[in-house]
Amino acid sequence: MLIRPRRNRRSEAIRKMVQEARLDVSQLVYPLFLVDGKNIKDEVKSLPGNFRMSEDEVLKTIEGCVEKDLTNFILFPSVADDLKDKKATYSWSDDNFYLKVAEKIKSEFPATTLISDVAMDPYSSDGHDGFVIDGKIDNDKSLPILAKMAVAQAEAGFDLLGPSDMMDGRVGMIRKALDEAGFVDTGIMSYTAKYASAYYGPFRDALDSAPKAGDKKTYQMNPANKREALIEAELDTAEGADFLMVKPALNYLDVIHLLKEHSELPIAAYHVSGECAMLIAACQNGWLNYEQAMPEVLLSIRRAGADVIISYFARDYAEMMKFWA
Ligand code: PBG
């Protein structure tokens, strides 16, 4: 035999030398759920190891992450029911705790990257990402609300805004509003190909944000579609997005690969709550080994083409990297 592929797998050092995909902690983003109050650290039952946290607890968590070189965070608010209304007015209100916590994090940890969530669902009494009128999600009437929310987040100091709502035209509308308000340096990480997935369950438990009626299929993409992601990518690019995101990640590795091939923009992948919960459950049952399975999963998303990975495993991965280094 002239060719023996096993020669390059002979030792750990050789295997590492020829390793194609690598995942650095700097490419990871850690999602955090915020809640108003003090001394609150309330575990999300369907996503063990993840918590709804008040400002004091979040600051402690962030400090621990920064020590492990994990500097990127995506923040989501868990809003009290009595603050929710049809137009998500609390999302840009002056006393919105989510905006205040972001401001505080940036003042204490200026080197972090904070990513926001632009969508109406955490603030909406209807639990939908857009404005519900007569039982329908009205695309164009949602846009000014999303733009207002975006400007408030930019004012609070978020580095990147993450429109996750899937309304048509929102990236352009948000870009214009940001520029007009002078926030030319605030970036947009657009949820470009966001699918109507069953894997957002634990996240909706965390925020208590499930739709009150119907589902999200008139705005989130059909899981059967791949080419349609290219239409969304073209639009987001033309409208000024700085990152394109695919969400979820594991069930959509082919879509990540497709966007990577077709775009020069950085590609982000959101390894969502349900995808992480599955693995946690299997590991808690003793059916899989977390230290082995978790990095394999993250690496598969990277190998598919993601430049940035948002994952509830980011902190554990950073911890393992610190330990191995
Ligand atoms: C809301 C939003 C969702 C997620 C991120 N932003 C839920 C949804 O669209 O219903 C899900 C993230 C996860 O499951 O980890 N616009």
Side-chain angles (χ1 to χ4, degrees):
M1 275 187 265
L2 270 180
I3 300 167
R4 287 179 181 269
R6 284 188 58 195
R7 279 196 286 260
N8 284 350
R9 299 176 202 144
R10 214 166 62 240
S11 71
E12 177 75 18
I14 294 176
R15 285 194 294 276
K16 277 211 161 148
M17 197 160 54
V18 300
Q19 180 167 330
E20 297 175 35
R22 290 173 206 274
L23 177 60
D24 196 78
V25 176
S26 61
Q27 296 166 307
L28 290 176
V29 178
Y30 190 34
L32 297 170
F33 303 123
L34 310 185
V35 70
D36 199 9
K38 255 190 154 191
N39 297 318
I40 302 171
K41 192 172 179 188
D42 179 17
E43 188 164 39
V44 182
K45 294 213 167 39
S46 48
L47 195 60
N50 292 271
F51 304 84
R52 275 174 294 257
M53 287 180 281
S54 52
E55 181 182 280
D56 48 336
E57 292 292 338
V58 163
L59 289 169
K60 278 191 240 168
T61 298
I62 289 186
E63 186 174 16
C65 291
V66 169
E67 280 166 10
K68 300 176 187 79
D69 302 325
L70 177 56
T71 56
N72 313 318
F73 305 92
I74 185 161
L75 310 180
F76 298 97
S78 170
V79 176
D81 269 343
D82 58 341
L83 293 171
K84 298 183 184 181
D85 59 22
K86 283 198 76 70
K87 285 187 158 185
T89 50
Y90 184 67
S91 65
W92 66 80
S93 127
D94 278 342
D95 47 35
N96 179 315
F97 77 94
Y98 173 74
L99 302 174
K100 286 187 192 159
V101 175
E103 216 171 315
K104 178 86 174 163
I105 298 170
K106 282 306 280 189
S107 75
E108 295 214 0
F109 301 98
T112 54
T113 302
L114 295 191
I115 307 171
S116 75
D117 185 52
V118 185
M120 290 174 64
D121 55 334
Y123 313 97
S124 151
S125 44
D126 293 304
H128 274 288
D129 296 26
F131 187 13
V132 180
I133 300 172
D134 297 332
K136 284 194 175 158
I137 288 88
D138 190 308
N139 191 90
D140 296 10
K141 292 211 165 68
S142 303
L143 296 180
I145 298 175
L146 295 165
K148 221 168 162 173
M149 188 185 311
V151 170
Q153 294 171 350
E155 264 165 16
F158 277 99
D159 301 279
L160 293 168
L161 307 187
S164 67
D165 55 283
M166 288 301 277
M167 296 301 121
D168 293 335
R170 92 279 205 205
V171 172
M173 185 81 160
I174 290 171
R175 185 69 271 160
K176 188 165 169 276
L178 290 175
D179 288 355
E180 280 171 6
F183 296 107
V184 294
D185 290 331
T186 306
I188 298 177
M189 180 183 276
S190 178
Y191 289 60
T192 298
K194 176 173 178 180
Y195 288 88
S197 168
Y199 287 77
Y200 307 146
F203 176 96
R204 292 180 191 168
D205 289 344
L207 301 195
D208 188 21
S209 63
K212 295 287 183 283
D215 52 40
K216 298 192 174 184
K217 290 180 185 169
T218 67
Y219 45 106
Q220 300 181 347
M221 282 174 58
N222 180 345
N225 293 357
K226 180 157 101 173
R227 288 164 59 233
E228 192 183 347
L230 293 174
I231 300 176
E232 293 285 358
E234 242 172 74
L235 286 171
D236 285 359
T237 306
E239 291 174 32
D242 301 283
F243 290 74
L244 304 182
M245 191 202 294
V246 176
K247 174 188 175 182
L250 285 185
N251 293 344
Y252 301 88
L253 293 178
D254 56 335
V255 181
I256 296 172
H257 180 73
L258 182 74
L259 291 202
K260 180 64 167 230
E261 301 270 285
H262 280 84
S263 175
E264 287 75 45
L265 287 173
I267 306 299
Y270 199 140
H271 182 214
V272 301
S273 58
E275 297 180 305
C276 293
M278 283 196 299
L279 190 98
I280 296 170
C283 294
Q284 286 188 342
N285 262 299
W287 297 341
L288 289 174
N289 176 302
Y290 186 67
E291 276 72 32
Q292 291 167 2
M294 183 270 280
E296 179 177 334
V297 163
L298 292 181
L299 210 52
S300 76
I301 301 170
R302 173 88 184 108
R303 190 193 62 233
D307 300 291
V308 175
I309 302 175
I310 303 168
S311 173
Y312 300 90
F313 296 156
R315 186 175 177 207
D316 287 345
Y317 185 85
E319 176 109 42
M320 280 173 75
M321 290 300 112
K322 202 80 182 166
F323 182 67
W324 288 344

